[in-house]
C-alpha cells in the first residue's frame, strides 16, 4: 500500500484486510484517508464474507474512531466531509451481511456516531445515515428503538434544538432522495413501538418540530418513492387514530361511574401544571344554568367540542400555538330548540293524561267503595230475612251414629299433595324461613295453586348444592358496633331558660295580668307578624284567607292566654296605653267571642285540603300495591322458585317439604352465604333468573308501588280519619253556637258552613276509600296466608320494598362481578398473547438475519433498504385483530376500511409491493363516518389499487429480496 491515489493500486479484491487496518491505524488524513476509505468501500462490497469478518475484528472499531475524529474536528475542510461520507458508505457495505449487521448492533457508540452524522448540510451523507438508522430500527432487538432515540437525543443536546429537528430539516432540503430517506426514518421510528401512547408521542413530537407545515409541500412533489412513504405515514396515523378512538368505548365499558372517572382523572392531574386548568374547566361548568331543558343542551355542545379536540380528526395533537377564538358552529341548536318545544308539548299532554288517570282511578275506587256499601246493606237485609225464617223451630237432626277414631283420617285440605322429599348428596346450608302450614291457608290461597316443580332440573339443583355446600364454609366473624352515647339534652333547655330570663329583664312595662312566660311567647309572635292588633282581630272575624296563614293561626292557638286571663284584661281597657304589648293585644282580642274554638275551626279549614291531599295518595298507593302483588305473574313465579330452592336446601330439617313461607322471609335470602363467602342466595337466585327465567326479572317493574306503600302507616291513617271526624263534629257544633251574632263583621258562620258541608262530603269519600283499602289489604293477606294480627301494612310493604331493592342490587353486583371476571380473563389472555407474540417476534427477527448460505450471507442491507423504500417493511408492523363487536355497549360504524400501503395506481413505479388486505375497523368517532368528498374519492382510488395484481422486485421471482420481504411481513 504505497499509494492510494489515482487508481495506481492493485485491484481492491487483491488487497488484504491487514493493509487497510495498518493504514487506518497510522492515522492517515485528508486525500490519503479519502482514497483509503474509497478503496475499503469497494473491498467490503466485492469480497466474500470471510474477508469482511477478517477486517471487521479490528476494522469496525477503527472505522468508528475515524468517523468520531472527523465529526469532532472543529474546522472541517471539504475533504473531511467527503471522508465522513466514505466512512458511512463503508459502514453500509460492512452491514450488508449477517456478521456485519450483528457487529454494528453490538457496538455501543455506533448508533451515537450515526446520529451525530445527521447533517442537513450534507444531503448525500445524511441520506445514507438515515437509511442505515431506519434499517436498524426495523431489524434490531426490542430495546434497539430506545437506543436509537437516545442516540438522536444525545446528538442534539449540545445544539439547543429539538432532537427531531435535523430530521425534519432534511425534508426541506431540495433533494428527493433525502426526503424519501427522512420519511423512511420517521416511519420506522413511529411504527416500531407496540404501545399506542408511545407511537402517538413520537408522531406528535415530529409534528411539533415542523412536520405539520412541511407535509403539504411534500404531497405536492411528484415522486413515487416519496408517495409510498407519505402513504405509510398517513395510513399508520389513521390506524392509530382508530385504535385511540376505541379507548372511548373501553373507558365507557370499564368506568361507568362518575365518581370513579373523576378520581382517575383527578389523580392524573393532581400536583401537575395541568391541575389549574382542570380546576378552571370545572369552575366554568358550574356556571351552566341548572335548567331542565337548557342544561343538557349546554353539556351536549361541550361534549361535542371536547370530542373534536381530544379525538382530533387529523390523528395528531391540535395546533397548540393557535390562540384565536374557537369558531364553533351552533346551528344545530335550532333543532334542539324545536325538540325542546315538542318535549314541552308532550310533557304537558302527559301531565294532563296522568291527572285524568288519577281522576279515573279515584272514581273507580269510590265506585268500588259504594258497591261494597250496597253489598253490606244487602247482607244486612238477607240476615234479617234469615232471622225471620229461623223463628220456626227446625226438625230434630238425624242420628248419624258414633264415628270411630279409626275412620277419621288426617288428609291435606284443598287437594294438596305432599311435597317432594329431596335428598342432596352433599350437606348444604339451610334457608331460614317462616314456614306456613296448610291449616293456615284458604282455598284460594296462592300457595295452594303454586307449582314450583316446573322449575326443577338437575343442573339447577346441582349448582345449588355446589354453591352452598357446608364443606368449604368458613367461620364468620361478626363485629358489633359499640353503642353511641346520646348527647346530653339539658344544655339546650337551660340555654333557652337563660335566654328567656334575659328577654324578660328587657321588659319596660310591668305586667298586670299575664304570666311572664306567656307574655314573652306572645311578644315573639307579635314581633314576627308586625300587624296592627285591630287588623289581626278583623281578619280573624272575617276569616280572611288571603291574609290568614297556617303558621299564624298555629302560633296564636299555641301562645294565646286562656279565657280567664282575657276576661281579666277587659277591666284594664281604660289603661290601654300603660299596658305592655302582649296585654294590649289581649285587650283587643278579648272582645272576640269564643276565640279559641274559632281559631281551632279556622286552623282546621286551612289544614283540611293538605290533609286530604296527604291521605288520598297513601290510600291509593296501598290499593295499587295490593293489586300489583296479586296480579304479578313474575312475582308469583319468583315465589315458586324460592319455594323449590328452600325445600331443597332445608331437606331433612323441620322446615323441609314446606307448602309455603311467610313473605317476611324474602329479606333473609341475603343472610345465606355461599360456600366461598363471596355471594349470597339472593345473588344465586338473581343469576338463575337472568340465565334461565328472564321473565321473572320483570317483577321489579310490576311492584313499582310497594316502596310508596311502605311509607304508609295504617294506624296513622285511621288516627288521621278519626281526628278529621272529631274536628268536623266540633265544627258543626260550633256553627250552631255561632249562628246568632250581632257583629256584622263576624263572617265565621257564613264561610265555615259551606266548608263544613264540603269537608263532610270529602271525609265520607275518604272513609269509603279507606274501607275499600282495608278490604283489599286483608284479601291480599289471605291470598298469601299472612297473619293480619302479626303483620302491619307498613311492615309488609317495607319487607317487599327492601327485597325489591336488594334484588336489583344483587343483579347489578352480579353484572359487576361478571365484568370483573371477564376483564381478568381478557387480561390473562392478553398477557399470554403478548408473551407469545414477543417470543415470536424475537424468533422472526433472528430468522430475518439468517440469509441463505448460497449467497454467502450477503445482501442483507440492500434487501432491507429496498423493503424500506417499497414500504413493505412497514406492512403489518402492528397486526391487530378486529375489535369484538359484542364487547361494545354502542358499536360505532365506520364508512371505510383501513387502507393498504401500496403504490398509487395513477403513476407508473418501477417496483410495486405485493397486494395485501386488512380487516375493517369500526370507528369510535362520528366525524370519521362522514368524510369529505375529496377523502371519499381517495378511498375509491385506494380500493382500485388494491384490485390490481402487483409484481415483486424483479421478474425472476426467486430472489433473496422476496424471501426477506416474506420474513418482514411476518413481523
Amino acid at each position: 500500500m504505497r499509494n492510494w491515489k489515482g487508481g495506481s493500486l492493485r485491484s481492491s479484491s487483491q488487497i488484504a484486510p491487514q493493509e487497510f487496518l495498518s493504514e487506518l491505524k497510522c492515522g492517515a488524513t485528508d486525500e490519503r484517508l479519502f482514497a483509503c476509505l474509497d478503496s475499503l468501500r469497494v473491498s467490503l462490497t466485492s469480497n466474500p464474507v470471510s474477508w469482511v469478518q477478517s477486517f471487521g475484528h479490528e476494522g469496525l472499531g477503527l472505522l468508528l474512531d475515524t468517523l468520531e475524529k472527523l465529526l469532532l474536528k472543529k474546522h472541517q475542510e471539504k475533504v473531511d466531509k467527503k471522508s465522513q461520507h466514505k466512512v458511512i458508505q463503508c459502514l453500509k457495505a460492512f452491514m450488508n451481511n449477517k456478521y456485519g449487521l450483528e457487529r454494528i448492533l453490538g457496538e455501543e457508540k455506533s448508533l451515537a456516531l450515526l446520529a451525530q452524522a445527521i447533517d442537513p448540510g450534507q444531503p448525500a451523507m445524511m441520506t445514507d445515515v438515515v437509511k442505515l438508522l431506519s434499517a436498524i430500527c426495523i431489524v434490531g432487538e426490542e430495546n434497539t428503538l430506545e437506543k436509537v432515540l437516545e442516540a438522536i437525543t444525545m446528538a442534539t443536546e449540545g445544539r439547543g434544538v429539538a432532537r427531531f429537528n435535523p430530521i425534519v430539516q432534511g425534508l426541506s432540503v431540495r433533494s428527493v432522495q433525502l426526503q424519501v430517506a427522512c420519511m423512511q426514518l420517521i416511519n420506522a421510528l413511529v411504527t416500531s413501538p407496540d404501545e399506542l401512547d408511545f407511537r402517538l408521542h413520537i408522531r406528535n413530537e415530529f409534528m411539533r418540530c415542523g412536520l405539520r407545515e412541511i407535509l403539504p409541500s411534500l404531497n405536492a412533489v411528484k415522486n413515487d418513492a416519496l408517495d409510498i412513504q407519505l402513504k405509510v405515514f398517513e395510513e399508520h396515523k389513521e390506524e392509530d387514530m382508530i385504535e385511540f378512538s376505541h379507548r372511548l368505548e373501553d373507558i365507557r365499558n370499564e368506568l361507568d361511574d362518575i365518581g370513579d372517572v373523576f378520581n382517575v382523572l383527578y389523580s392524573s392531574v393532581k400536583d401537575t401544571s395541568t391541575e389549574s386548568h382542570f380546576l378552571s374547566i370545572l369552575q366554568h361548568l358550574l356556571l351552566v344554568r341548572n335548567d331542565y331543558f337548557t342544561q343538557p343542551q349546554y353539556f351536549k355542545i361541550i361534549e361535542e367540542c371536547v370530542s373534536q379536540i381530544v379525538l382530533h380528526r387529523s390523528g395528531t395533537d391540535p395546533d397548540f400555538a393557535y390562540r384565536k377564538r374557537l369558531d364553533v358552529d351552533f346551528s344545530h341548536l335550532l333543532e334542539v330548540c324545536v325538540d325542546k318545544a315538542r318535549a314541552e308539548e308532550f310533557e304537558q299532554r302527559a301531565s294532563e293524561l296522568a291527572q285524568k288517570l288519577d281522576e279515573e282511578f279515584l272514581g273507580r275506587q269510590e265506585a268500588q267503595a259504594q258497591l261494597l256499601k250496597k253489598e253490606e246493606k244487602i247482607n244486612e237485609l238477607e240476615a234479617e230475612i234469615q232471622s225471620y225464617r229461623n223463628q220456626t223451630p227446625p226438625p230434630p237432626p238425624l242420628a248419624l251414629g258414633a264415628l270411630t277414631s279409626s275412620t277419621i283420617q288426617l288428609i291435606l285440605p284443598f287437594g294438596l299433595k305432599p311435597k317432594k322429599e329431596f335428598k342432596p348428596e352433599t350437606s348444604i346450608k339451610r334457608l331460614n324461613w317462616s314456614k306456613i302450614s296448610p291449616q293456615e291457608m284458604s282455598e284460594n290461597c296462592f300457595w295452594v295453586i303454586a307449582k314450583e316443580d316446573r322449575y326443577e332440573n338437575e343442573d339447577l339443583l346441582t349448582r345449588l348444592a355446589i354453591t352452598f355446600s357446608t364443606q368449604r364454609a368458613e367461620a364468620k366473624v361478626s363485629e358489633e358496633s359499640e353503642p353511641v352515647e346520646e348527647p346530653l339534652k339539658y344544655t339546650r333547655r337551660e340555654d333557652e331558660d337563660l335566654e328567656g330570663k334575659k328577654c324578660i329583664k328587657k321588659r319596660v312595662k310591668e305586667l298586670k295580668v299575664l304570666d311572664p312566660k306567656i307574655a314573652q311567647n306572645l311578644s315573639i309572635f307579635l314581633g314576627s307578624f308586625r300587624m296592627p292588633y285591630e287588623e289581626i282581630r278583623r281578619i280573624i272575624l272575617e276569616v280572611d284567607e288571603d291574609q290568614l296563614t297556617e303558621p299564624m293561626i298555629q302560633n296564636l292557638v299555641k301562645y294565646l292566654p286562656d279565657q280567664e286571663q282575657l276576661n281579666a284584661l277587659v277591666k284594664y281597657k281604660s289603661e290601654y296605653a300603660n299596658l305592655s304589648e302582649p296585654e294590649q293585644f289581649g285587650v283587643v282580642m278579648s272582645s272576640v267571642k269564643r276565640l279559641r274554638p274559632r281559631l281551632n275551626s279556622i286552623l282546621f279549614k286551612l289544614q283540611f285540603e293538605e290533609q286530604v291531599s296527604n291521605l288520598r295518595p297513601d290510600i291509593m298507593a296501598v290499593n295499587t300495591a295490593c293489586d300489583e302483588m296479586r296480579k304479578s305473574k313474575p312475582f308469583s313465579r319468583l315465589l315458586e322458585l324460592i319455594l323449590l330452592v328452600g325445600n331443597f336446601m332445608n331437606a331433612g330439617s323441620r322446615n323441609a317439604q314446606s307448602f309455603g313461607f311467610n313473605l317476611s322471609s324474602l329479606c333473609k335470602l341475603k343472610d345465606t352465604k355461599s360456600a366461598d363467602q363471596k355471594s349470597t342466595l339472593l345473588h344465586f337466585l338473581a343469576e338463575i333468573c337472568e340465565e334461565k327465567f328472564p321473565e321473572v326479572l320483570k317483577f321489579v317493574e310490576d311492584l313499582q308501588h310497594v316502596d310508596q306503600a311502605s311509607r304508609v302507616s295504617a294506624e296513622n291513617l285511621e288516627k288521621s280519619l278519626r281526628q278529621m271526624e272529631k274536628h268536623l263534629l266540633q265544627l258543626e257544633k260550633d256553627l250552631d253556637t255561632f249562628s246568632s251574632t250581632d257583629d256584622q263583621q263576624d263572617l265565621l258562620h257564613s264561610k265555615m258552613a259551606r266548608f263544613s258541608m264540603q269537608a263532610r262530603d270529602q271525609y265520607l269519600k275518604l272513609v269509603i276509600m279507606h274501607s275499600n283499602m282495608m278490604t283489599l289489604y286483608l284479601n291480599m293477606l289471605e291470598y298469601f296466608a299472612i297473619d293480619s294480627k302479626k303483620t302491619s301494612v307498613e311492615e309488609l310493604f317495607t319487607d317487599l320494598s327492601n327485597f325489591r331493592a336488594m334484588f336489583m342490587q344483587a343483579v347489578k353486583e352480579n353484572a359487576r362481578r361478571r365484568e370483573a371476571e371477564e376483564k381478568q380473563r381478557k387480561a390473562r389472555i392478553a398477557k399470554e398473547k403478548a408473551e407469545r407474540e414477543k417470543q415470536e417476534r424475537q424468533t422472526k427477527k433472528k430468522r430475518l438475519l439468517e440469509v441463505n448460505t448460497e449467497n454467502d450471507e450477503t445482501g442483507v442491507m440492500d434487501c432491507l433498504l429496498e423493503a424500506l423504500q417499497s414500504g413493505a417493511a412497514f406492512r403489518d408492523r402492528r397486526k391487530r385483530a378486529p375489535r369484538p363487536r359484542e364487547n361494545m355497549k354502542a358499536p360505532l360504524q365506520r364508512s371505510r376500511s383501513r387502507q393498504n400501503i401500496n403504490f398509487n395506481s395513477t403513476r407508473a413505479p418501477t417496483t410495486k409491493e405485493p397486494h395485501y388486505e386488512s380487516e375493517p375497523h369500526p370507528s369510535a368517532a362520528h366525524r370519521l363516518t362522514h368524510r369529505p368528498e375529496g377523502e371519499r374519492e381517495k378511498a375509491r382510488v385506494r380500493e382500485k389499487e388494491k384490485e390490481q395484481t402487483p409484481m415483486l422486485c424483479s421478474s425472476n421471482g426467486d430472489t433473496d429480496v422476496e424471501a426477506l420481504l416474506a420474513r418482514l411481513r411476518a413481523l
Side-chain angles (χ1 to χ4, degrees), residues 7-32:
S8 59
L9 291 175
R10 306 183 302 276
S11 172
S12 297
S13 60
Q14 299 174 357
I15 303 176
Q18 288 73 21
E19 295 184 52
F20 289 106
L21 294 175
S22 300
E23 185 69 16
L24 292 175
K25 286 179 181 179
C26 71
T29 58
D30 300 335
E31 295 295 338
R32 184 178 179 83

Side-chain angles (χ1 to χ4, degrees), residues 549-568:
T549 61
E550 183 180 336
M552 176 182 180
I553 301 301
Q554 280 182 329
N555 290 326
L556 190 53
V557 170
K558 184 178 179 180
Y559 301 131
L560 185 70
D562 56 36
Q563 192 62 42
E564 293 181 1
Q565 290 180 321
L566 291 176
N567 293 337

Side-chain angles (χ1 to χ4, degrees), residues 547-661:
Q547 298 192 54
L548 286 174
T549 61
E550 183 180 336
M552 176 182 180
I553 301 301
Q554 280 182 329
N555 290 326
L556 190 53
V557 170
K558 184 178 179 180
Y559 301 131
L560 185 70
D562 56 36
Q563 192 62 42
E564 293 181 1
Q565 290 180 321
L566 291 176
N567 293 337
L569 285 171
V570 175
K571 64 181 181 179
Y572 292 100
K573 190 173 183 179
S574 59
E575 303 178 17
Y576 182 85
N578 296 326
L579 296 176
S580 62
E581 291 182 358
E583 291 183 331
Q584 287 178 349
F585 177 75
V587 170
V588 173
M589 300 305 296
S590 62
S591 61
V592 180
K593 294 181 179 180
R594 296 180 59 82
L595 178 58
R596 187 173 292 276
R598 182 188 297 267
L599 292 175
N600 287 331
S601 298
I602 294 174
L603 181 60
F604 175 62
K605 184 178 188 300
L606 294 174
Q607 294 178 335
F608 183 77
E609 286 298 329
E610 182 180 359
Q611 291 177 357
V612 172
S613 299
N614 291 336
L615 293 176
R616 185 180 294 159
D618 289 348
I619 296 173
M620 292 175 63
V622 174
N623 285 344
T624 308
C626 292
D627 197 50
E628 289 172 347
M629 287 181 61
R630 289 200 62 166
K631 293 183 178 179
S632 174
K633 291 184 179 180
F635 182 60
S636 299
R637 293 181 178 179
L638 176 63
L639 295 179
E640 291 173 342
L641 180 60
I642 296 173
L643 181 62
L644 171 69
V645 169
N647 279 332
F648 180 81
M649 297 181 71
N650 291 332
S653 69
R654 61 183 180 84
N655 282 331
Q657 296 178 279
S658 296
F659 288 89
F661 59 89

